[in-house]
Amino acid sequence: MKKLLFLLITLLVISGCSNKEATAEVEGEAMNLAEIKEEKEKNQDELDKVNNEINKAKEELSDLEELKELAENRKQVEKDLQESKSELEVLKKDIERAENGLKEKRDKIIEAKKEPIKLDAGFYYIGEDIPESRYILKPQEGYNGNVFVRNENGSKVAESFGSRGGYLKKFTFDGLDGEEIEATIPILLYPAE
């Protein structure tokens, strides 16, 4: 339509038509030059609107492509995160095993350095019978039984010790002034650090 209008205007100018009332037939209708200009401006406005909509659509398409790329990147990041979490779990388990191994070795070194306090079955009081300290409690060889450490709030240690299944072989605790130790078997207390 735009080309047709341009062609008509060009023809009018070439033919030397200077009369403002000159007419031409456009799409079967007779139109004067003013009407043609008005129609041209309307069409230009519509063309500008269509171009604006096309530009907006291009921007939206660009935004959609960016969102698609972000979604793809997110999937990769989530995969990497999951792999990192798995690696972290493995490392935590390795650290825990190493710490346990280190603790056992440290306990053995402490036991080897220091003579234990040997106690027969009975009741003992920390601060009177035994010095206040951190202790590693072990049953004497060949005995199975219970040991309790109590304070004013009740038992803080109530365990079975010995070589039977489910019995503890050792236990570390802080012996505080005024606490009571009740042992149903002979025990060894190694000062711990």
Side-chain angles (χ1 to χ4, degrees):
M1 175 99 174
K2 184 177 176 183
K3 287 182 181 181
L4 181 64
L5 287 174
F6 181 76
L7 182 62
L8 285 174
I9 293 171
T10 305
L11 286 174
L12 288 173
V13 170
I14 291 173
S15 65
C17 181
S18 62
N19 185 353
K20 287 189 177 183
E21 295 301 317
T23 62
E25 191 172 316
V26 177
E27 294 179 1
E29 288 187 30
M31 298 177 77
N32 66 29
L33 187 58
E35 289 173 335
I36 291 172
K37 285 181 181 180
E38 186 180 316
E39 187 69 23
K40 178 186 173 218
E41 287 175 10
K42 274 194 229 175
N43 289 337
Q44 186 62 45
D45 288 344
E46 286 181 33
L47 181 62
D48 290 343
K49 286 178 185 176
V50 169
N51 284 335
N52 284 339
E53 288 178 18
I54 288 171
N55 289 336
K56 285 180 185 177
K58 284 180 181 178
E59 288 175 10
E60 289 175 5
L61 180 61
S62 175
D63 290 346
L64 288 174
E65 288 173 359
E66 286 179 23
L67 288 174
K68 182 180 175 185
E69 185 178 332
L70 286 174
E72 290 171 3
N73 289 344
R74 180 179 179 199
K75 288 177 186 176
Q76 184 61 42
V77 167
E78 287 174 348
K79 181 181 174 189
D80 293 345
L81 178 62
Q82 191 61 36
E83 289 174 4
S84 295
K85 283 181 180 179
S86 297
E87 289 176 18
L88 180 60
E89 288 302 315
V90 169
L91 290 173
K92 282 181 179 179
K93 288 178 183 176
D94 290 346
I95 290 170
E96 186 178 330
R97 279 193 295 272
E99 286 176 344
N100 288 338
L102 181 62
K103 185 178 182 312
E104 287 178 18
K105 289 177 182 175
R106 190 179 309 130
D107 289 347
K108 286 180 182 178
I109 291 170
I110 291 169
E111 290 173 18
K113 283 183 178 179
K114 299 180 180 177
E115 285 294 316
I117 299 171
K118 295 179 182 181
L119 300 175
D120 290 327
F123 290 86
Y124 300 91
Y125 295 94
I126 298 173
E128 292 178 23
D129 304 314
I130 306 162
E132 183 176 16
S133 184
R134 182 169 176 78
Y135 290 104
I136 299 169
L137 184 151
K138 293 176 103 179
Q140 288 188 26
E141 190 68 36
Y143 290 95
N144 295 303
N146 298 315
V147 178
F148 304 92
V149 178
R150 297 182 186 99
N151 57 28
E152 66 273 355
N153 297 324
S155 292
K156 74 176 194 179
V157 176
E159 299 291 342
S160 297
F161 291 87
S163 57
R164 289 186 188 162
Y167 281 26
L168 295 178
K169 295 187 181 1
K170 65 181 175 180
F171 185 84
T172 304
F173 71 99
D174 290 318
L176 304 176
D177 191 39
E179 292 180 332
E180 173 188 73
I181 296 177
E182 177 187 354
T184 62
I185 57 171
I187 60 172
L188 301 171
L189 293 178
Y190 290 89
E193 295 176 5

